[in-house]
Amino acid sequence: MPITVWGLSIAQALLASGNILLVSVSALIGQHLAADPWLITLPVACQFLGLILSTLPAAHLMQALGRKTGFVLGNVIGLLGTWVALQGLAATSLAGFTLGTFLIGIAIGVGQQYRFAALEACDSKLHPRAISLVMAGGVLAAVIGPNLAVWSRDWYAANLYGGAFYGLFGLYVVALLLILLLPLPRARPVSQAERVRTYGELGRQPLLLAAVASGMIGYGIMVLLMTATPLAMDHHRHDFADTALVIQWHVLGMFVPSFFTGHLIRRFTTRRVILWGCAALLLSVAINLSGQGFWHYWWGLLWLGIGWNFTFIGATHLLTFSYQPAEKAKVQGMNEFLVFGAAALCSLFAGQGVALLGWAWLNLIAIPWILLVTLLIWRLKAGEPVAA
């Protein structure tokens, strides 16, 4: 495996560590700064907004200027965002802090291109393993992120949570230095002779539709149920320590399979791995519906993480067969916008869903969407490139 792929895996670990760090403190900071309760989650919402808005421009920028320029710019915006967030904390300004999280969201959106850059750095036969290796950086993030959130509490005397943003600043500096050292592929100019299909033409491909739907629904269902789990466990009177343990094993379920998902794709085809991911998601829902004990949540969230891993990595690999080189930025940007847009909507709906519908109905709502992905993937012919 080329050194570039290993380097991008570390960069992904640093990015994911920062994400977990932000999840740990942003809502608590919003609670401290917000004058009205409905503003508490505004920093988190604006972080998602920055991520979604950056997906399409980031893909086109990298096609025009190259991966290295795009990733360096993303990390610089992340550094700027952490500085702005710290100024907002120092001034006890919700607006200033929210602007900082918006900029950090843009940096996170740019970083989502790491897995696509890994594909360009290796032979096509290594693509499944390369995607898996980059996503496996999340295992390291599951250790770094939560611990950094705890260790950083004493780093900044003026504010209990300010140290977290010094820690985030450090992560972005290390990632920036790493990107500068990596031999990333140069920009590939698009020839005028190369025809780029419209979004309508691209969307009529069953392969592309199946890939995007797998990424959107797999990610959306995972975020929906993961975000709702702490609320449901609290409603069913579980201790916070039990909830934290369930979430920790869920994160491990999300990323540990990455060490062998690529091998499974090469041996059994992308199509089968995505179908196994759908089966894991349905198993998660079935366990969640079978009871409200600790082990129901533990097993349910573990299988939810595994299902996300198979559907998301499989969808990323499947997507690569749906476009020509000149269409790369267009398709990758569209995919990221739709996938993370779905995740943002599901995260916003999760709290209200538990309150209005209840945990059981929230799981039942997930079933037809998972079955839709299963149908779209099942209809793909075994002889198509998806079998590679």
Side-chain angles (χ1 to χ4, degrees), residues 109-290:
V110 174
Q112 299 305 321
Q113 292 281 324
Y114 285 145
R115 69 190 194 281
F116 292 120
L119 299 178
E120 299 164 10
C122 64
D123 186 81
S124 61
K125 293 181 180 179
L126 294 175
H127 280 184
R129 286 179 54 204
I131 299 168
S132 292
L133 184 60
V134 171
M135 297 308 298
V139 177
L140 187 61
V143 176
I144 295 175
N147 284 304
L148 189 56
V150 174
W151 298 334
S152 62
R153 288 166 71 88
D154 299 324
W155 293 357
Y156 186 60
N159 188 286
L160 184 62
Y161 304 109
F165 286 86
Y166 282 108
L168 187 62
F169 192 91
L171 291 175
Y172 281 128
V173 167
V174 174
L176 178 60
L177 295 175
L178 178 62
I179 293 299
L180 288 171
L181 293 173
L182 284 179
L184 291 166
R186 295 182 179 274
R188 177 190 177 277
V190 178
S191 169
Q192 295 296 326
E194 295 179 279
R195 181 176 178 270
V196 178
R197 287 172 288 179
T198 65
Y199 284 115
E201 291 174 310
L202 290 166
R204 284 193 287 273
Q205 300 178 89
L207 199 66
L208 179 61
L209 182 62
V212 173
S214 178
M216 286 179 66
I217 295 173
Y219 214 125
I221 295 301
M222 185 277 293
V223 169
L224 176 71
L225 298 182
M226 177 192 68
T227 306
T229 292
L231 301 173
M233 290 188 72
D234 181 68
H235 178 73
H236 294 124
R237 307 196 188 291
H238 288 277
D239 293 335
F240 178 73
D242 288 343
T243 302
L245 186 62
V246 166
I247 296 298
Q248 182 180 37
W249 277 93
H250 166 68
V251 173
L252 291 173
M254 288 173 63
F255 294 111
V256 169
S258 299
F259 291 108
F260 53 83
T261 305
H263 174 71
L264 292 176
I265 288 174
R266 283 185 56 81
R267 182 172 180 181
F268 297 106
T269 77
T270 314
R271 178 175 175 267
R272 288 187 184 178
V273 169
I274 296 177
L275 289 173
W276 292 344
C278 292
L281 293 175
L282 289 171
L283 178 58
S284 169
V285 169
I287 295 171
N288 290 339
L289 291 171
S290 66

Side-chain angles (χ1 to χ4, degrees), residues 2 37 51 123 164-165 179 320 336 353 359 372:
L51 189 161
D123 186 81
F165 286 86
I179 293 299
T320 62
E336 300 299 271
W359 174 243
L372 174 61

